[in-house]
Amino acid sequence: MPHQAYKFRIYPNKDQQALIHQTHGHCRFVYNHFLALWNTSYKEEGKGLNRSIMSKMLTKMKKQEDTAWLRNVDSVALQASYENLLDAFQRFFQKQNNYPRFKSKKNPVQSYTTKNTNNNIAIIGNQMKLPKLGLVKFAKSRNIEGRIMRATIKYNASGTFYVSVQCEVPDFKPLPQTNEAVGIDLGITDFAILSTGRRVDNQRFTAKMEKKLKREQRKLSRRYEQAKKEGRNLRECMNYQKQRRRVARLRERVAFQREDFLNKLSTELIRHYDVICLEDLNTKGMLKNHKLAKAIADVSWSEFVTKLKYKAKWFDRKIVEIDRFFPSSQICHACGHRDGKKPLAIRVWTCSSCGTTLDRDINASKNILIEGLRLLKQQP
C-alpha cells in the first residue's frame, strides 16, 4: 500500500516539552553508544553489530543501575535509534552516504520516531495522542486518511515543534484521464517553461528575504563575537540564543514558502496532464558553478522532480526523463533541423532551414515533449 505523510505543528505544554527534549537526548545517547561499540567491534573482530545484538544490549542497559533512566522515555523511540544506525551503515556500504557520525546535542534540530502500537497514536478532536506525551494540541490543517503507522516528533532551530505522521493509504482515488501531455524546461529566470507556452515565474524566495536575513545574520555574528570575547558559553547567552532563533525562523519561512509553491505546482501538473516530460538535470554538477549556485539551490529543481515522481506514482501518471545531453535548445521543433549551440544571450532565433522564429525556452520544452513521447512509445 502507498504511504502518505502529514506534517503538523504541535503546541506541547512545558512538561511535554521537557519530555520531548529528554527523549531526544536518550535517543541520541543510544545511537552514539552503539556507534562506538560498532567501531570497537569492527577494529577488534572485523565485523560490526546486528539488530539482535543491539536489541539484547538495550534491554540489559535498561536493567542496569547506571542506565536505568532509559526507561523514562518511549521504548520504541530508543529502538528506532539503533534501527537508524543500521540504516546508516547499510547506506554507507551501498556507497550512498558517508560513514555514520556521532550525533551532537549542539545540533539545533533534534527528532525521534515512534511507532503506532495498540492505537497509542491517534487524532482526538484538535489534539493528537502520542506515546508518553498524552494529548498534545496541534494545528489541524487537514484530515488524516488511512492507518497511522509512525510519527516523528521534531524540534526545529526556530524553537518550534512539529510532528510528521506517516499513514498507510489503502488506495488513492484515480484522477480522470485528460489525454494531454506536456514538456517542461526548467530554468532560473522562469522556474518552468511549458510546451504549451506557459511560463511559471521563479518566485526567488531566498532573494526576497536576503536583505532582512543578512541584517539579522550580522546581529547574530556580533553577538557571537561578543560572547567569544567574554569567554561565555553560547548555550548560556540568552541574547545570542534569541537572535539565533530569529534567524532560524526567517530561514524556516523561506523553506515553507518554497515547499508550498512546489507542492501546488506539482499537484496542478499531475491533475492536468497524463504524461509529463522532463530533462534529467545534473543538479550537483551545476551547483559547482559558483556564479549560479545560489540561484540553482533556491529553485530546488530536484525537489520539484521528486514531488512529481511520487505523485505520478500515486495517481498513475507517466513521468518521462530524457537524456541530460539531449540538445533540446538547438533543434527546431517544427522541422527537426539542428542549428547548433547558440549564445545564452540569444533568447529568440530563426531556424536556418524552415525560417520559423523560435523562442529558446519554449522551443526547448516542445523538443523535450517530442523526445519524451518518442521514448514512451519505445517502452514495453
Side-chain angles (χ1 to χ4, degrees), residues 23 26-27 30-31 34 51 54-56 58-59 62 70 73-87 112-115 117:
T23 307
H26 288 17
C27 291
V30 170
Y31 183 94
F34 285 121
R51 182 179 287 101
M54 289 190 282
S55 177
K56 292 177 181 177
L58 181 59
T59 303
K62 292 181 180 180
L70 289 172
V73 301
D74 183 15
S75 60
V76 179
L78 299 180
Q79 294 170 9
S81 296
Y82 66 72
E83 292 287 350
N84 291 338
L85 180 62
L86 286 170
D87 182 63
Y112 73 87
T113 302
T114 183
K115 293 182 180 179
T117 55

Side-chain angles (χ1 to χ4, degrees), residues 296-318:
I296 292 171
D298 191 27
V299 292
S300 300
W301 290 329
S302 58
E303 187 178 350
F304 174 66
V305 174
T306 300
K307 291 181 184 298
L308 277 177
K309 285 181 178 179
Y310 76 72
K311 290 179 182 180
K313 191 175 180 180
W314 284 351
F315 300 109
D316 195 25
R317 301 302 205 201
K318 297 288 185 182

Side-chain angles (χ1 to χ4, degrees), residues 279-296:
E279 278 185 305
D280 180 22
L281 296 174
N282 182 18
T283 307
K284 287 186 178 180
M286 292 179 179
L287 287 173
K288 294 179 182 178
N289 184 339
H290 299 296
K291 294 182 179 180
L292 298 175
K294 184 186 290 186
I296 292 171

Side-chain angles (χ1 to χ4, degrees), residues 114-334:
T114 183
K115 293 182 180 179
N116 183 12
T117 55
N118 298 323
N119 201 32
N120 60 353
I121 303 176
I123 306 298
I124 304 174
N126 63 343
Q127 294 180 315
M128 184 177 293
K129 179 184 175 185
L130 294 170
K132 289 286 186 176
L133 296 176
L135 295 177
V136 184
K137 291 183 180 179
F138 78 109
K140 190 176 181 181
S141 55
R142 58 184 301 189
N143 293 324
I144 292 180
E145 298 179 2
R147 182 176 68 89
I148 297 176
M149 298 179 63
R150 57 180 58 87
T152 299
I153 292 87
K154 185 177 181 181
Y155 175 73
N156 279 357
S158 59
T160 53
F161 295 85
Y162 290 88
V163 60
S164 296
V165 182
Q166 187 184 53
C167 298
E168 192 177 56
V169 183
D171 195 12
F172 288 98
K173 296 179 180 178
L175 292 174
Q177 294 292 314
T178 62
N179 298 320
E180 295 286 341
V182 68
I184 302 176
D185 180 40
L186 299 175
I188 295 177
T189 305
D190 294 303
F191 176 79
I193 301 92
L194 277 58
S195 55
T196 59
R198 177 188 171 190
R199 295 176 181 269
V200 181
D201 184 38
N202 181 8
Q203 301 295 317
R204 292 181 174 82
F205 298 109
T206 302
K208 291 177 181 177
M209 193 70 72
E210 191 170 19
K211 184 177 179 180
K212 188 173 183 180
L213 192 57
K214 281 184 177 179
R215 183 173 65 248
E216 298 300 330
Q217 189 70 51
R218 283 196 296 268
K219 291 181 183 178
L220 182 66
S221 298
R222 286 197 293 268
R223 293 181 183 182
Y224 171 80
E225 293 297 333
Q226 183 65 27
K228 186 178 179 181
K229 185 178 179 180
E230 297 175 358
R232 299 173 62 191
N233 187 354
L234 289 178
R235 296 174 67 87
E236 299 175 358
C237 299
M238 294 299 103
N239 285 337
Y240 173 83
Q241 294 298 331
K242 187 187 298 183
Q243 185 63 24
R244 181 187 62 79
R245 286 192 292 270
R246 185 176 290 118
V247 172
R249 280 196 295 270
L250 291 176
R251 295 188 181 279
E252 189 178 77
R253 188 184 305 170
V254 171
F256 286 164
Q257 288 174 344
R258 184 185 297 113
E259 186 176 9
D260 181 65
F261 166 73
L262 296 178
N263 270 322
K264 287 179 178 177
L265 179 60
S266 58
T267 301
E268 179 188 351
L269 293 173
I270 290 294
R271 285 177 177 170
H272 286 85
Y273 299 101
D274 294 339
V275 179
I276 299 175
C277 305
L278 300 158
E279 278 185 305
D280 180 22
L281 296 174
N282 182 18
T283 307
K284 287 186 178 180
M286 292 179 179
L287 287 173
K288 294 179 182 178
N289 184 339
H290 299 296
K291 294 182 179 180
L292 298 175
K294 184 186 290 186
I296 292 171
D298 191 27
V299 292
S300 300
W301 290 329
S302 58
E303 187 178 350
F304 174 66
V305 174
T306 300
K307 291 181 184 298
L308 277 177
K309 285 181 178 179
Y310 76 72
K311 290 179 182 180
K313 191 175 180 180
W314 284 351
F315 300 109
D316 195 25
R317 301 302 205 201
K318 297 288 185 182
I319 301 293
V320 183
E321 287 187 290
I322 68 171
D323 189 83
R324 65 184 60 170
F325 299 109
F326 177 72
S328 58
S329 60
Q330 303 175 26
I331 300 174
C332 173
H333 73 271

